[in-house]
Amino acid sequence: MEQKNKIKSWPEAAPRLIAVAAGREPADLVIRGGKWVNVHTREVLEGYDISVAEGRFAAVAPDLSDSIGPDTEVIDAAGRYIVPGLCDAHMHIESGMLTPAEFAAAVIPHGTTSMFTDPHEIANVLGLDGVRMMHDEALMQPVNIFTQMPSCAPSAPGLETTGFEITPEDVAEAMTWPGIIGLGEMMNFPGVINADPKMLAEIAATQNAHKTVGGHYASPDLGAPFRAYVAGGPADDHEGTCEADAIARVRNGMRSMMRLGSAWYDVETQITAVTEKGLDPRNFILCTDDCHSGTLVNDGHMNRVFRHAVKCGADPLVALQMCTLNTATHFGLERELGSITPGRRADVILTSDLATLPVEQVIARGKTVAKDGKLLAECPHYDWPDSARNTVHLGKTLTAADFEIAAPEGANTVTARVIGVVENQAPTKALTAELDVTDGLAQPDTAKDIAQIALVERHQGTGGVTNGFVSGFGYKGRMAMGSTVAHDSHHMIVVGTDREMMAACANALGEMGGGVSVWKDGEEIAAVPLPIAGLMSDDPAQTVAARAAKMVEAMGACGCTLNNAYMQHSLLALVVIPEIRISDLGLVDVTRFELTDLFE
């Protein structure tokens, strides 16, 4: 693959950097008249010039006039702060419903210049080929998108079936690719705790390549299981939800990644480890994990996370370290990016305020890529093949009968296990409810806020449907909502109050080639087509966000008032986060990592 927007390595650029720094050659760019924010020393320094050559910083000094030639671009910062470009330490591009190119186009104006992405969503659908496609498009962008090789497809072996499986051999191969920075989040924490040979082989392949092992410990138990997990090798974790979680991770030599995504609000409850307990902030990192297109277009990306951390009491310079230098250091890239110092990639934000961080100009690799919220750079697209666009295989036309839940013979009522959605959090609650039986079929009960949920197999065309119940969405009337974004195995999840609507919704998604569909009273009232792997659109973020906004309105018209309910919907099959989920194999008790019966 020919890599567009490729930057010279520091060794390749060194002769020119030295010449520019010494004043023997003119720079490509000099930034003057601003306040240099040095994240190494946590200082704001006035009266410094910053020179750039070959897309890297050459020098920072009080006067670099000798580096300005007739063709040197000179930017007057006009008293503004000169800040390193922001880094997102852990994220999934697919969660934005966008391809890497369109995700980059959406976040560059917000000041994000480096992303560490785990494409495990597409890995579940298309395997190693899908990862390579994401990796290749990532390397085409004018900003830094590093790819973590997904570790867990399936995320919980024996509890779900994916389109493809990732093997230790796949991991070892990916470690040789130019843009692979490490191993994606090791979600199979029971596998690590029990020294599963496959999981340990993936970790070993990563460590032997001297790359970073991403963590995912989604359990509140900080005793022996946590100790065993840390001993297995994961170097960071973003699943913490409270101060004790953050402290336990950094005390054990991990990095605590605190996330603020579209639906995850885990910064405020953990950053007190720094702001109140006074722990060393260099081991704390900010990230998003999952941001949908609406958040990116309307609220921002890492600039949003930074502002939130400051509102939660973090010193702006400390919060800035948490989304620049700390991230670079964690991935072994402290000499490559994350600060405005010689040799590093010349990624810069110009801003007039350090606490609210308005992003007024963005420079990536020494070139202005955005100004006043407007993208000025091209974000090239990969040529996605038909194999990536034809991934929804239902095997048959579904009918209302596929969504029937037969009650035990002779029962007038049943006590059913119910998935309980928790607003703004990834975990669910394992609930029970007494439900009526009509004509031998267990019925949802909108008066109790209990809808039906179905997982429809969509990789192999088996025609399989797993049915259950879910609470928390508040749906009323005759409706259904379906999505082929269904972490992590990405079958199809349909939630509804009416079996005919559920069948119509599922069939519509099959015809669409994947995406999201909302049905009410016999008709589709919103749709978000996601033709690439049933996960992403290659349309611009604004277009996708507008469709997603109509989807949210449609969910509201069906009675839903949850914040970011779509994110909750898409996680109902995530069989690695407690307490209870659904998969193609049945209902999963994630506290015990075993299948369980729908009825007690």
Side-chain angles (χ1 to χ4, degrees), residues 42 101 130 149 172 177 283 307 310 343 368 414 418 432 564-565 574:
R42 219 183 292 158
M149 175 60 198
W177 299 353
N283 294 310
R307 289 194 301 265
V310 172
T368 296
V414 290
V418 178
T432 58
N564 275 306
L574 186 52

Side-chain angles (χ1 to χ4, degrees), residues 142-178:
V143 291
N144 316 308
I145 305 182
F146 299 97
T147 302
Q148 294 173 294
M149 175 60 198
S151 61
C152 300
S155 57
L159 297 178
E160 63 179 347
T161 311
T162 55
F164 282 84
E165 289 192 17
I166 293 296
T167 66
E169 291 74 24
D170 291 336
V171 172
E173 178 186 332
M175 290 301 145
T176 66
W177 299 353

Side-chain angles (χ1 to χ4, degrees), residues 235-311:
D236 57 63
D237 190 47
H238 58 274
E239 289 295 335
T241 59
C242 63
E243 182 185 272
D245 288 340
I247 291 174
R249 283 149 177 79
V250 297
R251 281 181 178 166
N252 279 276
M254 301 176 89
R255 273 13 188 273
S256 172
M257 290 186 175
M258 302 175 293
R259 62 185 172 184
L260 178 75
S262 292
W264 321 137
Y265 289 68
D266 296 321
V267 175
E268 187 172 5
T269 54
Q270 296 186 90
I271 204 166
T272 51
V274 173
T275 58
E276 295 178 14
K277 291 291 191 292
L279 298 192
D280 186 342
R282 284 299 308 278
N283 294 310
F284 292 81
I285 292 172
L286 296 171
C287 68
T288 63
D289 199 356
D290 297 293
C291 273
H292 65 58
S293 54
T295 301
L296 300 178
V297 169
N298 300 314
D299 301 326
H301 189 232
M302 284 305 299
N303 57 331
R304 169 178 175 258
V305 187
F306 168 86
R307 289 194 301 265
H308 178 70
V310 172
K311 282 183 180 177

Side-chain angles (χ1 to χ4, degrees), residues 563-597:
N563 177 54
N564 275 306
Y566 170 72
M567 295 294 285
Q568 307 290 354
H569 177 105
S570 69
L571 293 185
L572 292 170
L574 186 52
V575 294
V576 291
I577 297 184
E579 295 175 342
I580 187 170
R581 307 278 164 171
I582 193 169
S583 88
D584 63 304
L585 302 181
L587 210 58
V588 180
D589 179 340
V590 190
T591 62
R592 299 183 180 185
F593 277 85
E594 62 186 26
L595 296 169
T596 188
D597 294 328

Side-chain angles (χ1 to χ4, degrees), residues 65-277:
S65 299
D66 56 3
S67 297
I68 298 175
D71 297 322
T72 302
E73 180 186 3
V74 179
I75 294 176
D76 181 3
R80 291 177 292 180
Y81 296 92
I82 307 169
V83 174
L86 304 181
C87 307
D88 191 345
H90 174 73
M91 55 169 285
H92 308 285
I93 283 176
E94 304 99 315
S95 294
M97 301 179 173
L98 306 168
T99 58
E102 290 302 334
F103 199 102
V107 302
I108 287 170
H110 295 308
T112 300
T113 57
S114 296
M115 291 174 266
F116 296 84
T117 72
D118 177 359
H120 70 211
E121 321 303 351
I122 202 169
N124 278 271
V125 181
L126 294 171
L128 192 62
D129 284 348
V131 177
R132 186 185 286 277
M133 293 173 202
M134 295 289 283
H135 165 273
D136 288 358
E137 184 164 291
L139 290 185
M140 296 163 67
Q141 305 314 310
V143 291
N144 316 308
I145 305 182
F146 299 97
T147 302
Q148 294 173 294
M149 175 60 198
S151 61
C152 300
S155 57
L159 297 178
E160 63 179 347
T161 311
T162 55
F164 282 84
E165 289 192 17
I166 293 296
T167 66
E169 291 74 24
D170 291 336
V171 172
E173 178 186 332
M175 290 301 145
T176 66
W177 299 353
I180 295 288
I181 196 66
L183 189 68
E185 56 182 303
M186 179 49 72
M187 292 177 292
N188 185 4
F189 59 91
V192 176
I193 291 164
N194 293 305
D196 175 81
K198 180 182 176 185
M199 296 300 99
L200 296 191
E202 292 185 3
I203 292 173
T206 308
Q207 291 176 326
N208 289 337
H210 306 291
K211 297 187 177 182
T212 305
V213 178
H216 169 117
Y217 181 76
S219 168
D221 188 341
L222 297 176
F226 177 67
R227 296 196 301 270
Y229 185 72
V230 177
D236 57 63
D237 190 47
H238 58 274
E239 289 295 335
T241 59
C242 63
E243 182 185 272
D245 288 340
I247 291 174
R249 283 149 177 79
V250 297
R251 281 181 178 166
N252 279 276
M254 301 176 89
R255 273 13 188 273
S256 172
M257 290 186 175
M258 302 175 293
R259 62 185 172 184
L260 178 75
S262 292
W264 321 137
Y265 289 68
D266 296 321
V267 175
E268 187 172 5
T269 54
Q270 296 186 90
I271 204 166
T272 51
V274 173
T275 58
E276 295 178 14
K277 291 291 191 292

Side-chain angles (χ1 to χ4, degrees), residues 46 59 62 96 184 238 257 308 352 419 490 495 592:
E46 297 193 45
H238 58 274
M257 290 186 175
H308 178 70
S352 54
I419 302 170
H490 296 292
V495 172
R592 299 183 180 185

